[in-house]
Amino acid sequence: MSEVSRYAVSQKVSIITLIANLIFAVIKMFVGTVFRSHALVADGLHSASDAVSTITVMVGNRISKEPPDYEHPYGHGKAEPIATKVLGILLVIGGLIILKETIHAILVGDISVPSKLVLWTALASILVKELMYHYTYRAGKKVNNRALIADAIHHRTDAFSSIAALIGAGGARLGYPILDPIAGLIVALFILKMGVEVFKDAANELMDAAPDEEKFKEIIDVVETIDQVIKLRNLKIRTHGPNYFVDIRVVVNNELTVVEGHEVAVEVRRKIQEYCDGIQEVLVHIDPKGVRHIESGYINSNEI
């Protein structure tokens, strides 16, 4: 998929989810405030944070699609994990605010029985947010946009928080009013947990953490089909937005000329980019057979 098409899909999904988030944030906070449901107000604040996170994703998508330039020779793909990291921070902040407000309500005894409308609002939110999760997650996987996938996870946390709001309001109406603010606490803790996980994943990508084992195996299998490659000595992969940068060392016959060695390197690069998805750049180092090799840094090669 071209960068233009990828950007178009990401922005379309973000605009649709942004509108839905804004509508539900207003409805849930209004109903929760008027009909006295701490859990639904907390859920509404969560939806509002969803809207902010979607805007953050849209900005990240806009920046990441820019081509390489003089100041950013490797492109702008890191804008996506930066946007994802901001999402994690927003989730944590939102969770702390909800936690504070709910604990305060319990301590001062500001507890009442919510209206039936609270139940219907929470139920509608569960259904819509779960649909938004699947829609956004599939689109994020299709275009390999980690920020979009993180936003999808945010939608699912909103669905779970609506479930907590539904249970809390339902329990309050059945004669246990304390269940509503307790549900608010559960929502807050759940949001905090998801925020930390999203932040951690984004931080790993910004620190050039290696992708999963399947990507290593995919590249190793391709390189091993090249006749002139005696051995794959070292392989490092790092993510860069939706793409990957590969550093690889291969051993060749020590009688090859410089030109022949260069041709092997070109073939290694060509085959990796042709048969492996999402490879933006490949740096190939040629090692002559029998020459001692000292690798600096951690060898991220799955014990090749």
Side-chain angles (χ1 to χ4, degrees):
M1 178 178 291
S2 69
E3 197 64 28
V4 174
S5 298
R6 181 176 179 273
Y7 173 72
V9 170
S10 298
Q11 292 300 86
K12 176 185 176 182
V13 172
S14 295
I15 290 171
I16 292 173
T17 57
L18 174 61
I19 294 172
N21 281 330
L22 289 173
I23 292 173
F24 265 99
V26 172
I27 291 174
K28 286 191 280 190
M29 284 192 286
F30 175 77
V31 174
T33 301
V34 173
F35 297 98
R36 311 284 290 170
S37 172
H38 295 287
L40 194 61
V41 171
D43 194 20
L45 289 173
H46 191 189
S47 291
S49 73
D50 273 352
V52 175
S53 73
T54 300
I55 293 173
T56 305
V57 170
M58 293 174 70
V59 173
N61 289 338
R62 175 67 181 82
I63 296 172
S64 67
K65 82 178 185 70
E66 294 296 321
D69 54 33
Y70 180 77
E71 293 183 341
H72 307 90
Y74 294 99
H76 299 76
K78 290 293 186 182
E80 286 183 11
I82 292 174
T84 306
K85 197 171 183 178
V86 172
L87 295 190
I89 294 172
L90 291 174
L91 281 168
V92 171
I93 292 174
L96 290 174
I97 292 173
I98 296 170
L99 193 66
K100 174 180 175 295
E101 294 299 323
T102 308
I103 291 175
H104 175 75
I106 294 174
L107 292 177
V108 300
D110 184 16
I111 302 172
S112 58
V113 178
S115 163
K116 284 184 179 180
L117 185 58
V118 171
L119 301 178
W120 288 111
T121 302
L123 181 60
S125 176
I126 293 168
L127 296 175
V128 173
K129 295 299 289 187
E130 185 64 16
L131 288 173
M132 288 171 63
Y133 162 77
H134 288 287
Y135 175 61
T136 308
Y137 186 83
R138 287 174 183 171
K141 281 290 187 180
K142 179 180 178 181
V143 300
N144 194 20
N145 187 328
R146 291 172 181 80
L148 208 58
I149 293 172
D151 202 27
I153 294 172
H154 205 168
H155 295 321
R156 173 153 278 183
T157 64
D158 206 6
F160 286 149
S161 68
S162 293
I163 291 174
L166 180 65
I167 294 173
R173 290 190 59 80
L174 291 174
Y176 304 94
I178 190 64
L179 288 180
D180 185 69
I182 288 177
L185 287 176
I186 294 173
V187 172
L189 293 173
F190 190 78
I191 294 171
L192 282 171
K193 177 179 180 295
M194 295 305 299
V196 171
E197 290 177 355
V198 169
F199 182 90
K200 181 181 176 181
D201 289 343
N204 278 336
E205 183 173 350
L206 288 171
M207 295 176 65
D208 291 332
D212 54 39
E213 297 288 330
E214 291 182 3
K215 182 57 66 174
F216 280 92
K217 186 177 184 306
E218 182 183 8
I219 293 175
I220 292 170
D221 289 344
V222 168
V223 175
E224 287 180 344
T225 65
I226 302 173
D227 292 336
Q228 290 176 301
V229 173
I230 297 174
K231 179 182 179 182
L232 197 163
R233 177 168 280 171
N234 182 242
L235 173 62
K236 296 178 182 177
I237 311 172
R238 59 189 174 93
T239 55
H240 191 80
N243 301 314
Y244 301 96
F245 280 75
V246 177
D247 294 305
I248 186 169
R249 304 181 76 101
V250 296
V251 178
V252 299
N253 192 312
N254 57 11
E255 295 181 357
L256 294 182
T257 66
V258 173
V259 173
E260 289 171 334
H262 172 73
E263 290 174 348
V264 173
V266 170
E267 179 68 2
V268 170
R269 183 178 187 273
R270 184 190 68 79
K271 281 206 167 185
I272 290 176
Q273 291 189 313
E274 181 177 352
Y275 294 104
C276 301
D277 295 331
I279 306 298
Q280 181 171 333
E281 187 56 79
V282 181
L283 179 62
V284 184
H285 184 89
I286 298 295
D287 284 345
K289 182 182 178 181
V291 175
R292 186 186 177 195
H293 162 67
I294 300 177
E295 174 66 32
S296 60
Y298 178 75
I299 301 178
N300 194 358
S301 57
N302 298 318
E303 298 182 353
I304 293 171

